[in-house]
Amino acid sequence: MCGRYTVTPPSAALEARFEATFAGPSAPNYNAAPSQQLPVILNTDPGRIQLMQWGLLPGWVKDAKKAPRPINARAETLSEKPSFRTLLQRRRALVLADSFYEWQITDHGKVPHRILLNSQEPFAFAGLWDEWLDRQTGEVLPTFTIITTAPNSLMEPIHNRMPVLLPDRSAELAWLDDGAGVAAHQELLRPYAPEAMREYVVSTLVNSPAHNEPAVLEPAA
């Protein structure tokens, strides 16, 4: 799964990298967690970076308080679940990041790792999004989820899943392209090349989203 990640580059760097403009101010996030407002680019508005809540609340849900809000969706079963299948067709997103965290289960407890590209450049997770309408207040709540896939050889010793990192700019544009078709979109949902990534152990500071500062990125002592 993917339950925590980082978005540390300045807004201007993200705008240049993804050829899009922030809709509003955005601060670096060293410990992005579910329920937070985080930067995404939607297939319906590819020139804008907007903040949306992590944890998918589908538009068909009647009671938002009781509904589960999945932070991840399995790539292998997207076409089998009606709610995800519809979003795969109509509502795809780039979820902006520059690393993610995963916890390895060991004899000494769960050990957090930070995983990033060798280049340390920002990248995009493949995501799905939706909007939920509160019929009492008229408020619209946009939310997203991150797609996961089987681990590559770097991730396999750490966890049995990994988020889908789109490999390059052409893949990002193809993911946003409504004309590409479901089969082409599904083809993009593959494990990232392990030789292009690296990982290291970080301290347990990351265990709490309250710790959202550069110290979270430091290698464990």
Side-chain angles (χ1 to χ4, degrees), residues 26-77:
S26 179
N29 195 320
Y30 302 93
N31 199 356
S35 81
Q36 293 180 0
Q37 298 284 328
L38 298 163
V40 300
I41 298 173
L42 308 184
N43 63 304
T44 55
D45 195 0
R48 188 163 66 115
I49 303 172
Q50 52 192 295
L51 300 182
M52 291 176 63
Q53 188 177 99
W54 185 14
L56 186 71
L57 184 62
W60 51 263
V61 165
K62 292 183 178 180
D63 190 342
K65 293 181 180 179
K66 295 182 180 179
R69 300 193 183 195
I71 62 171
N72 293 152
R74 294 175 67 92
E76 300 87 341
T77 58

Side-chain angles (χ1 to χ4, degrees), residues 108-160:
H108 308 288
K110 292 184 177 181
V111 177
H113 295 247
R114 183 186 182 215
I115 302 95
L116 64 162
L117 302 185
N118 289 333
S119 65
Q120 301 187 51
E121 294 178 351
F123 54 81
F125 299 122
L128 301 173
W129 66 279
D130 207 352
E131 292 179 326
W132 182 79
L133 173 64
D134 187 326
R135 290 168 176 79
Q136 293 184 334
T137 67
E139 179 185 6
V140 175
L141 177 64
T143 61
F144 73 91
T145 188
I146 294 171
I147 300 173
T148 66
T149 186
N152 61 21
S153 58
L154 178 84
M155 285 297 301
E156 194 168 17
I158 301 172
H159 201 272
N160 62 1

